[in-house]
Amino acid sequence: DGYPMAQKGEAARAFGAAFMASMVGGVFGAVVLFVSLPVLRPIVLSFGSAEFLMLVIWGLSAVGVLTGRAPLKGVIAALIGVLISTVGVDDKTAIERFSFGGTYLWDGVSIVLVGLGLFAVPEMIALAVRRTAVAEGEALGTGVMEGVKDVFRHWWLVIRCSVIGVWVGVLPGLGSTVADWFAYAHAVQTEKNNETFGTGDVRGVIAPESSNNAKEGGALIPTIAFGIPGSTSLAIMLAAFIAVGISPGGEMLSDKLYYTMAMVWVLVIANIIAALLSLGASGWFAKVSLMPFYLIVPITLVLCVSSSFAAHYTLADLATFLVFSVVGYFMKLFGWPRPPLLVAVVLGSQLERYLWLSQARYGWGFLTHTGVVLIMALIVVTLVVPLWRNRRRPRARRQMGEEAPDDTPAMRLWGSLFTLFLGGVLVMALVIALDWPLRSAMVIYWLAGLGIPLALCQIWLDVAPLRLSGSGPLWRTLAAPLASEGGRRTRAIFWWMAGLVAGVLLAGFHATLPVFVIAYVRVYGGGWRAAVGLALFAEAFLVVAFDMLITVLWPTPYLLQLVGISY
């Protein structure tokens, strides 16, 4: 919702709401950490693999159901996300799944590449096609303090979502992505007048921001009480504790309680300082929404390409990044919700692991456990209540965080071809999995068994109405979008992206990124001062972040390899 708010000229208000909600959520999480350690310990210990499995399914269902007019697309996107999470060496059988004979995919697909490709690049493509600033007007509208006031206007939503964040943090391994979307799903399902979510509703900013920082306080609970890190960052902190002789567990709640209290105060003070600094700079942040596209697009693409390389420091990351960028753009273009796919990638491995553990320990009898039955009831409520509430206004809701797709016959046909492609991916995965042991292939069988029929149903929903449209020959219908001005601009930005990646491969990052920025700014109307200044910023980013802080060993460009030079 923050990006649609920026498009309306309310970027400052969105920042104000986000930073204040983050501060309140973070402080709330610290308070919960202080008062709840003795209470939550027995509850957390009562959760086994079966209960964690149902929590993962609950998270997927909570996000997948918020798909507006296209519930099938949301479910298929989630299934594709789980499929992506299966890439790599299976920890149960050591089978290489979808590695295609190489070693690059042994560790799976980086969530960084999925996130950048699905969300960052499609928005830049859309901005390059529109060729305007992010904000549709020339003014910023209401300011930062209006966003701060919004947080206190919706104080009950802040409290509820902070509780969700704490609870997700308490459960090891679920992660911040799940906390955000749990909170967003809760807000959409419980708030009145929820038709505006995804279109620039400030409540859609407040809910995930409250949950995100509150999660840290919750994640400290299993870290301190059981020595089980609640997140990746806390796993590093746990290792630091052990390195200096601090052993998490009962001692942290008794003899060394002062360590725990210190962390509570650090959480409170850090959240307040961060929020105040961010609120002070919000006005400057908001002005970015008024910058012309020819400044935003090239520097964002440069940051995305360099960040994607930082996933594994290999050029293969660029290819993966481009694949997800194309998929993300087509999902945006054809009205597919992207959050279910991202969340499913995060939760997919846990879904498979907990399913296998539960079945191995209890057989299918785990489905009758009390905790499983209770969470299953919550899942049913999560799925049924939104559909029941929206049954009288089926066309009012939009896709979660998506623009309304172009509903012309041509775009419906292209959308059905994209759905056919996703169905083909599931078919290919099924064929490959037939050679695997059952324990490795079982999840693929389930994904294909559900996804292929759903994809066919979605294709029928897209194509069936076209028989009465009288839109002319099929080839002419398909060619219409390609010949339009939007089609030409889309091809242009894809060529720019291809040139950027090709330049990196041929000449290297340091030579290509500044040249790309200067060329893009100058071609689309920017002055030399802006072009050179932005190029210098891009080069400084590479030098400071990669050469000085990380000390990256850059791959030798192909042009230098041709002349026998390597470094």
Side-chain angles (χ1 to χ4, degrees), residues 220-536:
L220 274 171
I221 293 174
T223 307
I224 292 172
F226 319 121
I228 302 173
S231 66
T232 303
S233 58
L234 289 180
I236 299 173
M237 193 180 77
L238 181 63
F241 278 176
I242 296 172
V244 297
I246 301 175
S247 300
E251 194 177 16
M252 293 283 287
L253 304 177
S254 55
D255 297 340
K256 295 185 178 179
L257 182 62
Y258 50 86
Y259 284 135
T260 302
M261 293 302 301
M263 283 185 281
V264 171
W265 280 108
V266 165
L267 274 178
V268 172
I269 296 171
N271 275 285
I272 293 175
I273 292 176
L276 292 178
L277 290 174
S278 300
L279 287 170
S282 293
W284 292 98
F285 295 160
K287 291 180 180 179
V288 175
S289 64
L290 300 179
M291 293 173 61
F293 78 96
Y294 55 75
L295 298 180
I296 296 178
V297 171
I299 195 62
T300 303
L301 290 179
V302 163
L303 294 175
C304 287
V305 168
S306 54
S307 299
S308 64
F309 175 76
H312 300 104
Y313 304 108
T314 173
L315 293 176
D317 286 333
L318 299 183
T320 306
F321 164 71
L322 283 179
V323 168
F324 282 105
S325 297
V326 173
V327 171
Y329 175 71
F330 284 136
M331 292 183 75
K332 177 180 174 65
L333 187 64
F334 301 130
W336 283 71
R338 290 168 283 172
L341 194 153
L342 180 65
V343 175
V345 173
V346 175
L347 293 180
S349 59
Q350 299 174 54
L351 174 70
E352 184 179 7
R353 183 181 305 113
Y354 290 136
L355 175 61
W356 177 71
L357 287 173
S358 302
Q359 203 278 333
R361 289 175 179 174
Y362 314 110
W364 294 108
F366 75 86
L367 295 173
T368 62
H369 290 187
T370 302
V372 171
V373 173
L374 291 176
I375 300 174
M376 196 178 300
L378 290 175
I379 293 173
V380 172
V381 172
T382 299
L383 293 172
V384 172
V385 169
L387 297 177
W388 175 263
R389 291 180 60 183
N390 294 323
R391 63 189 177 90
R392 296 181 179 178
R393 49 178 188 269
R395 300 190 64 83
R397 290 288 308 283
R398 287 168 58 172
Q399 310 285 341
M400 179 176 54
E402 305 292 329
E403 299 177 3
D406 189 344
D407 207 26
T408 60
M411 296 308 292
R412 276 182 169 266
L413 284 174
W414 279 110
S416 65
L417 292 176
F418 180 69
T419 307
L420 183 63
F421 163 75
L422 296 180
V425 170
L426 290 170
V427 172
M428 182 190 71
L430 177 61
V431 172
I432 295 174
L434 292 176
D435 295 329
W436 299 343
L438 182 61
R439 283 191 295 176
S440 291
M442 180 60 71
V443 65
I444 308 299
Y445 297 159
W446 279 100
L447 294 174
L450 290 173
I452 294 172
L454 291 179
L456 293 175
C457 290
Q458 184 60 50
I459 292 172
W460 171 256
L461 292 175
D462 287 338
V463 175
L466 299 182
R467 292 180 298 177
L468 302 176
S469 64
S471 56
L474 180 62
W475 65 268
R476 184 176 298 171
T477 302
L478 290 172
L482 301 178
S484 65
E485 181 64 22
R488 288 191 290 268
R489 291 183 177 184
T490 301
R491 290 195 297 275
I493 186 60
F494 272 113
W495 278 114
W496 278 103
M497 291 177 57
L500 173 59
V501 174
V504 167
L505 297 177
L506 293 174
F509 284 85
H510 284 289
T512 300
L513 299 191
V515 172
F516 171 81
V517 171
I518 292 175
Y520 193 95
V521 174
R522 290 294 297 153
V523 166
Y524 290 105
W528 276 106
R529 179 180 298 179
V532 173
L534 211 58
L536 291 176

